[in-house]
Amino acid sequence: MLTEWKNHKAQLRSYIDMRLDDPDVVDDILQEVYIKASSNLHQLKVRGSLKSWLYRITHNLIMDHYRAHHSYDELPESLASEEQDPIEENYKTLALCLKPLIGELPDKYRIPLQLAELEGLSQQDIADKLGLSLSGAKSRVQRGRKKFRELMMSHCDFEIGKGGVTDFAPKDDKGKMYYKTLCK
């Protein structure tokens, strides 16, 4: 092993030196490679693969060094906060406008829709609460959604893109009123 080690030592030192800045650390890692290789030589199955095996050990020790000595720079307090996702912001703004629009639906559809979408009740719970059959509750929630969608589309123009609503704007006076008083 010693003779073969001497043949590869200079190449391994160069390999480590290209990946690390500190010459002392280069020597430390080179010494660790020798110790690991010497103590685990019995695991080497084919003698001809010694060079690649030594490089694999060296690479792993370099990675271990970086993992153990990874330094983190503290971010300055003056760093600007992360920019909000415009789609997420559109959803938040749009959510403020939706409650008053739901209020325009007839009670027959508004109440089941609010219970389902805003309070998160199951359709069976809605049926029990309102004294309806399950199919009746399902029907009212579905019709409420449809009427609500029609109402939204009649008051606002929506731009839909990858990920959802990318932009929206009121298209009539009623939509502008909701937008100005509630959405901004």
Side-chain angles (χ1 to χ4, degrees), residues 12 14 26 28 34 39 45 66 75-76 81 103 108 129 142 162 167-168:
L12 291 172
S14 175
V26 171
D28 290 345
Y34 179 75
S39 59
K45 294 187 177 27
Y66 277 120
L75 294 175
S81 65
K108 179 178 178 177
K129 188 169 186 163
Q142 287 303 98
K162 189 175 185 179
D167 200 10
F168 68 96

Short mmCIF file of all heavy atoms in Angstrom, two decimals, residues 12 14 26 28 34 39 45 66 75-76 81 103 108 129 142 162 167-168:
data_model
loop_
_atom_site.label_atom_id
_atom_site.label_comp_id
_atom_site.label_asym_id
_atom_site.label_seq_id
_atom_site.Cartn_x
_atom_site.Cartn_y
_atom_site.Cartn_z
N LEU A 12 -3.47 13.35 -5.49
CA LEU A 12 -4.54 13.58 -4.52
C LEU A 12 -4.40 14.95 -3.85
O LEU A 12 -5.38 15.66 -3.65
CB LEU A 12 -4.57 12.47 -3.47
CG LEU A 12 -5.01 11.10 -3.96
CD1 LEU A 12 -4.80 10.05 -2.89
CD2 LEU A 12 -6.47 11.12 -4.40
N SER A 14 -3.05 17.60 -5.13
CA SER A 14 -3.46 18.58 -6.13
C SER A 14 -4.99 18.64 -6.24
O SER A 14 -5.59 19.72 -6.33
CB SER A 14 -2.84 18.22 -7.48
OG SER A 14 -3.30 19.08 -8.48
N VAL A 26 -5.66 20.98 3.55
CA VAL A 26 -5.31 20.06 2.47
C VAL A 26 -4.48 18.91 3.03
O VAL A 26 -4.77 17.73 2.77
CB VAL A 26 -4.54 20.79 1.34
CG1 VAL A 26 -3.97 19.80 0.33
CG2 VAL A 26 -5.43 21.80 0.65
N ASP A 28 -4.33 17.92 6.17
CA ASP A 28 -5.16 17.15 7.10
C ASP A 28 -6.03 16.14 6.36
O ASP A 28 -6.13 14.97 6.75
CB ASP A 28 -6.04 18.07 7.95
CG ASP A 28 -5.25 18.89 8.96
OD1 ASP A 28 -4.07 18.55 9.20
OD2 ASP A 28 -5.82 19.86 9.49
N TYR A 34 -5.24 8.80 3.75
CA TYR A 34 -4.28 7.72 3.95
C TYR A 34 -4.74 6.78 5.07
O TYR A 34 -4.71 5.56 4.94
CB TYR A 34 -2.89 8.27 4.25
CG TYR A 34 -1.87 7.17 4.48
CD1 TYR A 34 -1.38 6.44 3.41
CD2 TYR A 34 -1.43 6.86 5.76
CE1 TYR A 34 -0.48 5.40 3.61
CE2 TYR A 34 -0.52 5.84 5.97
CZ TYR A 34 -0.05 5.12 4.89
OH TYR A 34 0.84 4.09 5.09
N SER A 39 -6.76 1.61 6.70
CA SER A 39 -7.58 0.80 7.59
C SER A 39 -8.70 0.06 6.87
O SER A 39 -9.25 -0.89 7.41
CB SER A 39 -8.15 1.66 8.73
OG SER A 39 -8.93 2.70 8.22
N LYS A 45 -11.92 -4.53 -3.56
CA LYS A 45 -12.09 -5.85 -4.18
C LYS A 45 -11.12 -6.08 -5.34
O LYS A 45 -10.56 -7.15 -5.49
CB LYS A 45 -13.54 -6.00 -4.64
CG LYS A 45 -14.51 -6.02 -3.47
CD LYS A 45 -15.89 -6.34 -3.93
CE LYS A 45 -16.92 -6.45 -2.86
NZ LYS A 45 -16.84 -5.80 -1.64
N TYR A 66 -16.68 20.35 4.17
CA TYR A 66 -17.58 21.47 3.87
C TYR A 66 -18.85 21.42 4.72
O TYR A 66 -19.33 22.45 5.17
CB TYR A 66 -17.94 21.50 2.38
CG TYR A 66 -16.89 22.20 1.54
CD1 TYR A 66 -16.24 21.52 0.52
CD2 TYR A 66 -16.55 23.52 1.76
CE1 TYR A 66 -15.28 22.15 -0.25
CE2 TYR A 66 -15.59 24.16 1.00
CZ TYR A 66 -14.95 23.46 -0.01
OH TYR A 66 -14.02 24.10 -0.75
N LEU A 75 -27.52 37.84 7.80
CA LEU A 75 -28.09 38.80 6.85
C LEU A 75 -28.22 40.16 7.51
O LEU A 75 -28.58 40.26 8.68
CB LEU A 75 -29.47 38.33 6.38
CG LEU A 75 -29.47 37.04 5.56
CD1 LEU A 75 -30.91 36.62 5.27
CD2 LEU A 75 -28.72 37.23 4.26
N PRO A 76 -27.96 41.21 6.75
CA PRO A 76 -28.11 42.54 7.33
C PRO A 76 -29.58 42.86 7.58
O PRO A 76 -30.46 42.40 6.85
CB PRO A 76 -27.52 43.46 6.26
CG PRO A 76 -27.57 42.68 5.00
CD PRO A 76 -27.48 41.24 5.38
N SER A 81 -37.50 42.93 2.76
CA SER A 81 -38.27 41.70 2.96
C SER A 81 -38.62 41.09 1.61
O SER A 81 -38.65 41.77 0.59
CB SER A 81 -39.54 41.98 3.75
OG SER A 81 -40.40 42.81 3.01
N GLY A 103 -73.34 38.11 -0.20
CA GLY A 103 -74.52 38.71 0.44
C GLY A 103 -75.62 39.07 -0.55
O GLY A 103 -76.77 39.24 -0.15
N LYS A 108 -81.73 31.48 0.04
CA LYS A 108 -81.85 30.07 -0.31
C LYS A 108 -80.51 29.48 -0.77
O LYS A 108 -80.23 28.31 -0.52
CB LYS A 108 -82.90 29.96 -1.43
CG LYS A 108 -83.16 28.60 -1.95
CD LYS A 108 -84.26 28.69 -3.01
CE LYS A 108 -84.56 27.35 -3.62
NZ LYS A 108 -85.65 27.40 -4.58
N LYS A 129 -78.43 21.08 9.48
CA LYS A 129 -78.61 22.41 10.08
C LYS A 129 -79.81 23.15 9.47
O LYS A 129 -80.51 23.87 10.16
CB LYS A 129 -77.33 23.23 9.90
CG LYS A 129 -77.32 24.55 10.65
CD LYS A 129 -75.95 25.16 10.65
CE LYS A 129 -75.99 26.39 11.53
NZ LYS A 129 -74.67 26.82 11.92
N GLN A 142 -74.38 23.75 -4.92
CA GLN A 142 -73.96 23.81 -6.32
C GLN A 142 -74.59 25.00 -7.05
O GLN A 142 -73.92 25.71 -7.78
CB GLN A 142 -74.29 22.51 -7.05
CG GLN A 142 -73.40 21.35 -6.66
CD GLN A 142 -71.93 21.64 -6.90
OE1 GLN A 142 -71.21 22.01 -5.97
NE2 GLN A 142 -71.48 21.49 -8.11
N LYS A 162 -51.27 30.90 -15.30
CA LYS A 162 -50.69 29.75 -14.59
C LYS A 162 -50.69 30.04 -13.10
O LYS A 162 -50.15 31.03 -12.65
CB LYS A 162 -49.27 29.50 -15.09
CG LYS A 162 -48.68 28.22 -14.59
CD LYS A 162 -47.34 27.97 -15.22
CE LYS A 162 -46.82 26.61 -14.78
NZ LYS A 162 -45.54 26.32 -15.39
N ASP A 167 -54.79 38.68 -12.25
CA ASP A 167 -55.24 40.05 -12.09
C ASP A 167 -56.76 40.10 -12.23
O ASP A 167 -57.37 39.19 -12.77
CB ASP A 167 -54.60 40.95 -13.16
CG ASP A 167 -54.63 42.42 -12.79
OD1 ASP A 167 -54.97 42.75 -11.62
OD2 ASP A 167 -54.32 43.26 -13.65
N PHE A 168 -57.34 41.16 -11.69
CA PHE A 168 -58.77 41.37 -11.84
C PHE A 168 -59.05 42.85 -11.72
O PHE A 168 -58.27 43.61 -11.16
CB PHE A 168 -59.56 40.57 -10.79
CG PHE A 168 -59.39 41.07 -9.39
CD1 PHE A 168 -60.31 41.94 -8.82
CD2 PHE A 168 -58.30 40.69 -8.64
CE1 PHE A 168 -60.14 42.40 -7.53
CE2 PHE A 168 -58.13 41.14 -7.36
CZ PHE A 168 -59.04 42.01 -6.80
#
